[in-house]
Amino acid sequence: MGEVVFWTIIRTAIVLPLLWVLKSYLNVDLWWTVSIISVYGVIIHPAVIHYRLFNEKNEEIIEDTLCSTCEHFDKTAVLCLKHDEHPTRDYLPCDGIDWSPKSSDKSQNVFDE
Ligand code: SF4
């Protein structure tokens, strides 16, 4: 996820100064049109595509592993916060030893009992 944010910031840092420079060469109506198309086409749309690819690539890990039910798992970064490592479908950084249910799972267990 950090990669998505990083490249969005980089694209923004490139596009906005270019648009600022273009402002003195184009009339206002054309500049607004170019700005809106540029911001959407170069900043927003690639970020959305990149985010979708990230979710597709990590969908199984986020939804269908032991880590996905653990309180130490940060699904936005697909990261084990306790071990500071990225779990995969075949690799659990703690081998399941440090697994702890999410607090929402804990409260659900209380009602189940
Ligand atoms: S503590 Fe273990 S189960 Fe929990 S997120 Fe980290 S590797 Fe996964």
Side-chain angles (χ1 to χ4, degrees):
M1 189 65 171
E3 191 179 332
V4 176
V5 173
F6 173 78
W7 285 110
T8 302
I9 290 171
I10 294 296
R11 285 191 303 272
T12 303
I14 293 170
V15 167
L16 291 185
L18 285 176
L19 289 173
W20 187 259
V21 170
L22 266 180
K23 190 176 184 183
S24 52
Y25 294 101
L26 302 174
N27 69 43
V28 174
D29 292 339
L30 182 59
W31 182 79
W32 273 109
T33 305
V34 169
S35 297
I36 291 169
I37 291 171
S38 300
V39 167
Y40 180 77
V42 179
I43 298 172
I44 297 172
H45 188 67
V48 170
I49 298 288
H50 205 169
Y51 179 71
R52 279 194 198 142
L53 290 174
F54 172 83
N55 273 344
E56 282 176 20
K57 182 178 153 194
N58 295 298
E59 187 177 2
E60 273 191 76
I61 301 166
I62 292 170
E63 294 179 1
D64 198 25
T65 61
L66 184 63
C67 294
S68 63
T69 61
C70 179
E71 71 175 354
H72 304 297
F73 184 63
D74 178 3
K75 70 178 185 180
T76 61
V78 191
L79 179 71
C80 170
L81 299 173
K82 188 171 180 88
H83 293 272
D84 197 26
E85 288 188 63
H86 296 281
T88 66
R89 184 89 180 124
D90 305 318
Y91 171 67
L92 295 180
C94 76
D95 289 327
I97 293 170
D98 295 323
W99 178 81
S100 180
K102 289 180 183 173
S103 56
S104 60
D105 293 343
K106 285 178 186 172
S107 63
Q108 190 176 17
N109 289 339
V110 169
F111 293 115
D112 290 344
E113 293 174 359

